[in-house]
Amino acid sequence: MSQEVGTEEIGIVVEDDTMIIRAGGELDHHNAVELRTLVDRELIKGKIKNVIFDFTDTNFMDSSGIGTIIGRQKIMESIGGSVRVRNMNPNISRIFQISGLHKIIKVQE
Amino acid sequence: MYKNHMHLEFDSRSENERFARVTAAAFATQLNPIMEELSDIKTAVSEAVTNAIVHGYENHTGTVILEGEIVDRTIILTVKDYGVGIADVKKAMEPLFTTKPEEERAGMGFMFMEAFMDELKVESKPDEGTCVIMKKTIIER
Ligand SMILES: Nc1ncnc2c1ncn2[C@@H]1O[C@H](COP(=O)(O)OP(=O)(O)OP(=O)(O)O)[C@@H](O)[C@H]1O
Ligand SMILES: [Mg+2]
């Protein structure tokens, strides 16, 4: 069964124990605050084991996005779950590499 | 010598992070940058403006100034706030250093500004504010 919550920009799909986060057009400080609230409201229920950040619609991300991914990674690590990322455009991929996050978070092909 | 200048003042609201980086990128287009260079400028400006909002004014309302200057093929972007300032700029610029880990800040803002621009200078005084000056030369293609 899948359940959808979110705003026009941010989309969150929960399927069994997997949450797919469509990060929206621009993941900056302004949008990250809202995304965290929506995501953590689901995570707190304790059923999610896998979190996937899907950047298909995302054309901008800065350190606030990196902080958001690290924050969810910490939560998931504490409950034995995982965080993955996918569909990053070249700009977002570059941010991801420079941040060093590629060493701790898997990129799903 | 080609010269151009722009000056923008806006409230320290998070809505303006996007406004500021898109404006800076639009100003830069007269140098015919490639997509990657535009993205570099957007990210660097976004980092500096976000810092002014979350650290400088600590989410209270203040005025952020974005200044753009073009001298020949070089764009100089300055982001200024009159917020709390930084006591130890050298320390603040170290990768992964943050004073707000509880807000999920990663301490990577200055790191990105440094990576994406050719030059980065930070001037700051406690209780007076912070001024971030960034330069990037766009080669003619
Ligand atoms: N405009 C500013 N006013 C006051 N303090 C600042 C300002 N800009 C940066 N700082 C200080 O410098 C530190 C490092 O800034 P930097 O942007 O590198 O990391 P961050 O903002 O903490 O995290 P991130 O940018 O990854 O979200 C900040 O934590 C803050 O203490
Ligand atoms: Mg920052």
Side-chain angles (χ1 to χ4, degrees):
Chain A
M1 212 188 67
S2 88
Q3 183 199 351
E4 265 190 79
V5 288
T7 60
E8 252 183 87
E9 277 275 281
I10 302 162
I12 295 168
V13 180
V14 176
E15 260 181 60
D16 301 323
D17 62 354
T18 300
M19 174 193 270
I20 298 163
I21 304 164
R22 295 284 283 247
E26 316 214 340
L27 189 48
D28 61 359
H29 160 246
H30 179 68
N31 294 323
V33 174
E34 188 185 7
L35 186 135
R36 281 172 204 164
T37 311
L38 289 170
V39 169
D40 290 356
R41 198 181 289 157
E42 290 297 315
L43 290 186
I44 210 160
K45 295 177 186 165
K47 282 192 222 149
I48 310 290
K49 286 285 173 215
N50 313 298
V51 170
I52 301 168
F53 280 89
D54 188 331
F55 292 106
T56 304
D57 312 314
T58 314
N59 49 52
F60 180 85
M61 179 172 86
D62 61 14
S63 67
S64 297
I66 297 291
T68 304
I69 299 171
I70 295 174
R72 291 332 108 218
Q73 161 72 14
K74 282 184 180 156
I75 295 172
M76 294 315 287
E77 205 178 353
S78 72
I79 58 164
S82 76
V83 172
R84 278 171 290 167
V85 294
R86 72 183 185 202
N87 298 329
M88 295 187 289
N89 78 14
N91 293 332
I92 293 173
S93 196
R94 221 149 42 99
I95 298 272
F96 194 70
Q97 297 289 324
I98 295 172
S99 74
L101 228 57
H102 62 290
K103 290 178 201 153
I104 51 168
I105 289 171
K106 261 212 188 97
V107 180
Q108 193 180 52
E109 298 304 324
Chain B
M1 189 168 63
Y2 182 75
K3 265 192 148 184
N4 198 0
H5 175 256
M6 69 99 166
H7 180 108
L8 191 68
E9 280 187 40
F10 51 89
D11 285 351
S12 59
R13 297 183 59 94
S14 64
E15 285 84 350
N16 290 329
E17 291 157 4
R18 177 174 197 283
F19 171 62
R21 65 176 177 261
V22 170
T23 304
F27 184 66
T29 54
Q30 59 200 282
L31 293 174
N32 293 317
I34 56 169
M35 288 295 280
E36 186 177 307
E37 290 164 334
L38 276 182
S39 166
D40 293 349
I41 287 167
K42 269 193 200 167
T43 309
V45 169
S46 193
E47 294 297 349
V49 169
T50 303
N51 279 353
I53 293 170
V54 303
H55 302 297
Y57 293 115
E58 303 194 285
N59 300 313
H60 299 296
T61 311
T63 301
V64 181
I65 296 169
L66 168 66
E67 223 158 45
E69 213 182 317
I70 288 174
V71 180
D72 288 329
R73 304 286 316 164
T74 302
I75 183 164
I76 304 141
L77 293 158
T78 305
V79 176
K80 207 173 181 169
D81 69 65
Y82 300 103
V84 299
I86 306 171
D88 187 343
V89 172
K90 211 174 147 215
K91 177 108 204 144
M93 289 176 78
E94 281 173 15
L96 309 184
F97 177 84
T98 181
T99 47
K100 289 203 185 328
E102 74 285 353
E103 286 180 23
E104 295 193 350
R105 309 253 57 110
M108 292 186 191
F110 282 132
M111 199 174 99
F112 287 145
M113 290 181 238
E114 223 151 19
F116 294 137
M117 301 297 278
D118 297 338
E119 246 183 272
L120 169 68
K121 209 163 91 191
V122 181
E123 291 162 357
S124 189
K125 258 200 184 143
D127 301 322
E128 286 185 21
T130 301
C131 182
V132 175
I133 305 151
M134 303 178 280
K135 288 188 193 179
K136 192 176 183 71
T137 301
I138 311 291
I139 55 156
E140 202 157 7
R141 292 180 178 85

